[in-house]
Amino acid sequence: DIAISGVAKAGLIYNSEGEESTRVHNEVLLTFDGTGETDGGLQFGFNTNIIIEDNGGVANDDTTVFLSGAFGKLSFGSVAEADEVAGLSDIGWEGLDVDDVAEALVGDELEDILDVDLSHNVNYTYATGALTFSLSGQLASGGHGADNVDSYAAGIKYSFSDAYVGLGYADHGVGIASADVVSVFAGGTFSGVKVAALYSDASLKDGLGGKADAKAYGLNASYTMDALTLSLGLGKADYDGVTDHTSVGIGAAYDLGGGASVHAGLAQVKSPGDENLEAFPDGAKALADDKEVRADFGVTFTF
Amino acid sequence: DIAISGVAKAGLIYNSEGEESTRVHNEVLLTFDGTGETDGGLQFGFNTNIIIEDNGGVANDDTTVFLSGAFGKLSFGSVAEADEVAGLSDIGWEGLDVDDVAEALVGDELEDILDVDLSHNVNYTYATGALTFSLSGQLASGGHGADNVDSYAAGIKYSFSDAYVGLGYADHGVGIASADVVSVFAGGTFSGVKVAALYSDASLKDGLGGKADAKAYGLNASYTMDALTLSLGLGKADYDGVTDHTSVGIGAAYDLGGGASVHAGLAQVKSPGDENLEAFPDGAKALADDKEVRADFGVTFTF
Amino acid sequence: DIAISGVAKAGLIYNSEGEESTRVHNEVLLTFDGTGETDGGLQFGFNTNIIIEDNGGVANDDTTVFLSGAFGKLSFGSVAEADEVAGLSDIGWEGLDVDDVAEALVGDELEDILDVDLSHNVNYTYATGALTFSLSGQLASGGHGADNVDSYAAGIKYSFSDAYVGLGYADHGVGIASADVVSVFAGGTFSGVKVAALYSDASLKDGLGGKADAKAYGLNASYTMDALTLSLGLGKADYDGVTDHTSVGIGAAYDLGGGASVHAGLAQVKSPGDENLEAFPDGAKALADDKEVRADFGVTFTF
């Protein structure tokens, strides 16, 4: 069976350092979900997202194929990196990338620094009771061709009542350079406040004896009163004393019913935008010190 | 809710000046319409058209997101330019661009002459009784980046019994050059004949003291007898005495029932095809004098 | 009416000569089928396939528009070449191109040798009782522009009980060069074994007096026992004594029920992969002698 759903958005995006500080944005996302079951009781399916932004081209916004059963769940395509056990939500409408500062070392985010595609394309996840265990990697494929990248990750998550803790580990090799990342995650809902936090530590080696260390951490908290949800995001990344990145943002969302909602966010982010961040640690390029004020406001419709 | 509909076409296109004078053409258009309503009674939705022509690539053929209520209707994406109050229908099956000569100054059509994208991406329309009022503009967006274009338009339409009259105004600024366009529209159904006409006058300035004036006008008339519809299109554009463009075309459509129809058209068009027209007024490039005989014939299936 | 169906795949592909000998592969194929009927009883429709491979871009994987009635069936777009009366099935999961060696001269496959697009875009098929007759050609279109290719084909197929025989003829002109291809097809199901075979003979002329001859032939046999299907493919192409291409492959498929199946294939193919084959007959470039071991294994889900 194939189910179709969709999301449409329209609104405004502000960035104090943008070429045009304010711009309108709209997008339509069509989601196709295929689901089935074998005679032996295995579940299988796919998830494909087709997006059109600002009346532009037709693009793939993540496609996965999966097979699951008693053995766990095996996913192919745009899969989660296993070490990103519980990422933080972003702040705002279209997203101000407040979470990116805290998440700069986990999942495939180091690709901004290492300047190669670190996204994984195979994920295996096994859940038993309160424990969830995941492995993922970037295997050679048509989308991840013959290159010098070896990237693997593992993660474990323990859930209890309304909370969880998690641990992630990733090992990236890019030619002779490498990076090891350890990350810790915790979150839950306490007295109506939903909190998620992460701490991560990366050890980077350039393969010639050069070493660097980086730490990134942050949290997201949100509180919902009837139709209104308020949220706060904080992030910090410390690149071995060379440079600091920081983010702080607040957001609000109001549910209009029927699948529609209004969202707004305001944030101050000191680097990195992809446009600002440069390679680290092979050079001192992470010094980019661009403090941006970001805001967005818009409607989100779900179908 | 998301509804899917579609159009498929197959047929022949002739152009006396084409590299291959006759060619086959086929296309499939998939339309996704999302609709919803908030608890407060606002309507929202999106319209996305995905097209594949001649078994080629997958392309976006106009996508919009909208929100409407007592305040009017706000649209984002591939919106109508407000000054094009009531465009003319084209002649033929796939369309011979007979209407383009008459419409050369309204909506975003001046982009052929000014050589920049003049399409608008935000439209606000308010209707009250017989009056419809629209404003539109090209705002900075991912699809209309940091450039030197300022383009806005307004339109008003008054409908009565089976007829309407309308007035449009557009103001385009491209760097130091600018263009003001005033247009008048009228149409209706009289004794079974459906008629639409427009007259437009553009005042172009190159910002260095150079001025030019252009007028474009035309009409479309059609008459339906049972399954058969006959149509006539006429257009003329007078570029300040420098050059004239003219178009005349006749068409026929026959409804086969079940969503299928056969269409044919024959026209003589003296410029402009995009391939022929060149910049105006900054130069005498609008002189291209290419008189083309155009025809097409094909089937259109709707689903 | 528009119906949506889909196929998703995930698995491994091996090629002994590949840059990466083993790689993972996944894909999602969305199929949109439009069908309708005119008041006069003509059937019409379209078939569009949108594919996303390895989480890459959104691509068209064949789109056709058709109209059929007592007069036969007329198709536009990605149509079958009429001389390829009954192609062979491939071996394996994603396909090891075992059939390509035997089919190297029929349909549009000579394009690998002639280095131009020979695919047809219009097909007319008429069936009466046991006889099916087809004509097809490459007509000028937006997808097959002004070029020096003239390509036409005809085919006839006679079916009786569980078997068929067929005859195909194709005439390709590429500038002053040309190729004539005669092909014979036969197949059927005998004692539970499904067999398909073809033999083809091509006469190539470079327009300057140079001539060459090529023969290609092969077969595919498969046997199904409950959920398991075993298959065998053989192919040979003899390019005028200059070079030989050969292929042999075995495959297995197991039906898991619910639309899911597992497939595996193993083959040895001596050229041509597109990457290996080079132009013939204008030179001795068909000599590429690359013997590859190919294998694949994966799951196929249908929705």
Side-chain angles (χ1 to χ4, degrees):
Chain A
D1 212 39
I2 298 179
I4 303 181
S5 56
V7 177
K9 293 182 173 185
L12 298 170
I13 296 175
Y14 171 83
N15 186 312
S16 62
E17 309 302 312
E19 212 176 347
E20 298 258 353
S21 60
T22 305
R23 56 192 176 87
V24 293
H25 175 77
N26 70 79
E27 67 182 57
V28 170
L29 179 76
L30 296 170
T31 299
F32 298 83
D33 278 295
T35 50
E37 187 170 313
T38 69
D39 292 349
L42 298 175
Q43 287 84 43
F44 58 84
F46 71 84
N47 170 265
T48 286
N49 298 281
I50 292 179
I51 195 166
I52 294 168
E53 294 189 283
D54 292 320
N55 195 33
V58 178
N60 169 32
D61 187 38
D62 291 347
T63 290
T64 52
V65 177
F66 68 87
L67 177 67
S68 67
F71 70 91
K73 182 174 183 175
L74 202 49
S75 305
F76 300 85
S78 177
V79 304
E81 285 80 30
D83 68 313
E84 195 164 1
V85 170
L88 305 183
S89 297
D90 199 0
I91 292 293
W93 167 63
E94 182 65 4
L96 303 175
D97 295 342
V98 170
D99 56 330
D100 284 5
V101 169
E103 295 168 348
L105 308 177
V106 298
D108 61 353
E109 300 292 339
L110 266 175
E111 66 188 18
D112 287 344
I113 288 176
L114 296 175
D115 204 25
V116 292
D117 176 4
L118 291 180
S119 66
H120 290 184
N121 55 3
V122 179
N123 177 296
Y124 166 71
T125 296
Y126 182 78
T128 174
L131 273 178
T132 303
F133 178 72
S134 289
L135 289 173
S136 69
Q138 181 187 109
L139 277 63
S141 77
H144 295 86
D147 58 24
N148 60 348
V149 174
D150 282 302
S151 179
Y152 299 95
I156 187 165
K157 187 178 184 179
Y158 178 72
S159 302
F160 52 99
S161 60
D162 287 344
Y164 66 86
V165 291
L167 185 66
Y169 175 74
D171 183 355
H172 309 290
V174 180
I176 58 168
S178 65
D180 288 355
V181 186
V182 175
S183 45
V184 185
F185 303 82
T189 301
F190 311 96
S191 309
V193 180
K194 189 178 172 187
V195 180
L198 77 85
Y199 178 89
S200 57
D201 190 320
S203 183
L204 301 112
K205 296 175 189 168
D206 64 11
L208 299 170
K211 293 185 182 186
D213 190 69
K215 291 172 179 55
Y217 44 93
L219 68 78
N220 182 281
S222 64
Y223 184 71
T224 299
M225 298 153 287
D226 297 324
L228 180 68
T229 298
L230 299 176
S231 54
L232 166 72
L234 296 170
K236 180 159 187 181
D238 177 355
Y239 294 95
D240 214 8
V242 177
T243 187
D244 276 6
H245 293 161
T246 56
S247 65
V248 52
I250 54 172
Y254 190 84
D255 186 349
L256 299 170
S261 50
V262 187
H263 302 255
L266 175 65
Q268 189 190 64
V269 180
K270 183 182 163 197
S271 217
D274 291 350
E275 66 278 8
N276 304 318
L277 185 63
E278 300 183 59
F280 177 86
D282 48 13
K285 296 183 183 172
L287 293 166
D289 184 1
D290 170 1
K291 193 177 288 185
E292 301 176 5
V293 175
R294 301 177 185 174
D296 62 7
F297 170 78
V299 285
T300 299
F301 307 136
T302 58
F303 304 90
Chain B
D1 214 39
I2 298 180
I4 303 181
S5 56
V7 177
K9 292 182 174 185
L12 297 170
I13 297 175
Y14 171 83
N15 186 312
S16 62
E17 309 302 312
E19 214 175 344
E20 299 259 353
S21 60
T22 305
R23 56 191 176 90
V24 293
H25 176 78
N26 70 80
E27 67 182 57
V28 170
L29 180 75
L30 296 170
T31 299
F32 298 84
D33 277 295
T35 49
E37 187 170 313
T38 69
D39 291 349
L42 298 175
Q43 287 82 43
F44 58 84
F46 70 85
N47 171 265
T48 287
N49 298 280
I50 292 179
I51 195 166
I52 294 168
E53 296 190 280
D54 292 320
N55 195 34
V58 178
N60 168 33
D61 187 38
D62 291 347
T63 290
T64 51
V65 178
F66 68 86
L67 176 67
S68 67
F71 70 90
K73 181 175 184 174
L74 200 50
S75 306
F76 299 85
S78 177
V79 304
E81 285 80 29
D83 69 313
E84 195 164 0
V85 170
L88 305 183
S89 297
D90 198 0
I91 292 293
W93 167 63
E94 181 64 3
L96 303 175
D97 294 343
V98 170
D99 56 330
D100 282 6
V101 169
E103 294 167 348
L105 308 177
V106 297
D108 60 353
E109 301 292 338
L110 267 175
E111 65 188 18
D112 287 343
I113 288 176
L114 296 175
D115 203 26
V116 292
D117 177 4
L118 291 178
S119 66
H120 290 184
N121 55 3
V122 180
N123 177 294
Y124 167 71
T125 295
Y126 182 79
T128 175
L131 273 178
T132 303
F133 178 73
S134 290
L135 289 173
S136 68
Q138 181 187 110
L139 276 63
S141 76
H144 295 87
D147 58 22
N148 61 349
V149 174
D150 281 302
S151 179
Y152 299 95
I156 187 164
K157 187 178 184 180
Y158 178 71
S159 301
F160 52 99
S161 60
D162 288 342
Y164 67 86
V165 292
L167 184 66
Y169 175 74
D171 183 355
H172 310 290
V174 180
I176 60 169
S178 66
D180 288 355
V181 186
V182 176
S183 46
V184 186
F185 303 82
T189 302
F190 311 97
S191 310
V193 180
K194 189 177 172 188
V195 180
L198 77 85
Y199 177 89
S200 57
D201 190 320
S203 183
L204 303 112
K205 296 175 188 169
D206 64 11
L208 300 170
K211 292 185 182 186
D213 191 69
K215 290 171 179 55
Y217 44 95
L219 68 79
N220 181 281
S222 64
Y223 184 71
T224 299
M225 298 154 286
D226 300 323
L228 180 68
T229 297
L230 299 176
S231 55
L232 166 73
L234 296 170
K236 181 159 187 181
D238 177 356
Y239 294 95
D240 213 7
V242 176
T243 188
D244 276 5
H245 293 160
T246 56
S247 65
V248 53
I250 53 171
Y254 191 83
D255 186 349
L256 299 170
S261 49
V262 187
H263 302 255
L266 176 64
Q268 189 189 64
V269 180
K270 182 181 163 198
S271 216
D274 291 350
E275 65 279 8
N276 303 319
L277 186 61
E278 301 183 57
F280 177 85
D282 49 12
K285 297 182 183 174
L287 293 167
D289 185 1
D290 169 1
K291 193 177 288 186
E292 302 176 3
V293 176
R294 302 175 184 176
D296 62 7
F297 170 79
V299 286
T300 299
F301 307 136
T302 58
F303 305 89
Chain C
D1 213 38
I2 297 179
I4 302 181
S5 56
V7 177
K9 293 182 172 185
L12 297 170
I13 298 176
Y14 172 82
N15 187 312
S16 62
E17 310 302 313
E19 213 175 347
E20 299 258 352
S21 60
T22 304
R23 56 191 176 90
V24 293
H25 176 78
N26 70 80
E27 67 181 58
V28 170
L29 179 75
L30 296 170
T31 299
F32 299 83
D33 278 295
T35 50
E37 186 170 315
T38 70
D39 292 349
L42 297 175
Q43 286 83 43
F44 58 83
F46 71 85
N47 171 264
T48 286
N49 298 281
I50 293 179
I51 196 166
I52 295 168
E53 296 189 281
D54 292 321
N55 195 35
V58 178
N60 168 32
D61 187 38
D62 291 345
T63 290
T64 51
V65 177
F66 69 86
L67 177 67
S68 67
F71 70 91
K73 181 174 183 175
L74 202 51
S75 305
F76 300 85
S78 176
V79 304
E81 285 80 30
D83 69 313
E84 195 165 0
V85 170
L88 306 182
S89 297
D90 198 0
I91 292 293
W93 166 62
E94 181 65 2
L96 303 175
D97 295 343
V98 169
D99 56 330
D100 283 5
V101 170
E103 294 167 349
L105 308 177
V106 297
D108 60 352
E109 300 293 338
L110 267 176
E111 66 188 18
D112 286 343
I113 288 176
L114 296 175
D115 203 25
V116 292
D117 176 4
L118 291 179
S119 66
H120 291 185
N121 55 3
V122 180
N123 176 295
Y124 167 71
T125 296
Y126 182 79
T128 174
L131 273 178
T132 303
F133 178 73
S134 290
L135 289 173
S136 68
Q138 181 187 109
L139 276 65
S141 77
H144 295 86
D147 57 24
N148 60 348
V149 174
D150 281 302
S151 178
Y152 299 94
I156 187 164
K157 186 178 182 180
Y158 178 70
S159 301
F160 53 98
S161 60
D162 286 342
Y164 66 86
V165 291
L167 185 66
Y169 175 74
D171 183 357
H172 310 289
V174 180
I176 58 169
S178 66
D180 288 355
V181 186
V182 176
S183 45
V184 185
F185 303 81
T189 302
F190 311 97
S191 310
V193 179
K194 191 177 170 188
V195 180
L198 76 85
Y199 178 89
S200 58
D201 190 322
S203 182
L204 302 112
K205 296 175 189 168
D206 64 11
L208 299 169
K211 293 185 181 186
D213 191 69
K215 291 172 179 55
Y217 44 94
L219 68 79
N220 181 283
S222 64
Y223 184 71
T224 299
M225 299 154 286
D226 299 324
L228 179 68
T229 298
L230 298 176
S231 54
L232 167 73
L234 297 170
K236 181 160 186 181
D238 177 355
Y239 294 96
D240 214 6
V242 177
T243 187
D244 276 7
H245 293 159
T246 57
S247 65
V248 52
I250 53 171
Y254 190 84
D255 186 349
L256 299 170
S261 49
V262 186
H263 302 254
L266 176 64
Q268 190 189 65
V269 181
K270 184 182 162 196
S271 217
D274 292 352
E275 65 279 9
N276 304 319
L277 185 62
E278 300 184 58
F280 177 85
D282 48 13
K285 296 183 185 174
L287 293 167
D289 184 1
D290 170 2
K291 193 177 287 186
E292 301 176 5
V293 176
R294 301 175 186 177
D296 62 8
F297 170 79
V299 286
T300 299
F301 307 137
T302 58
F303 305 89

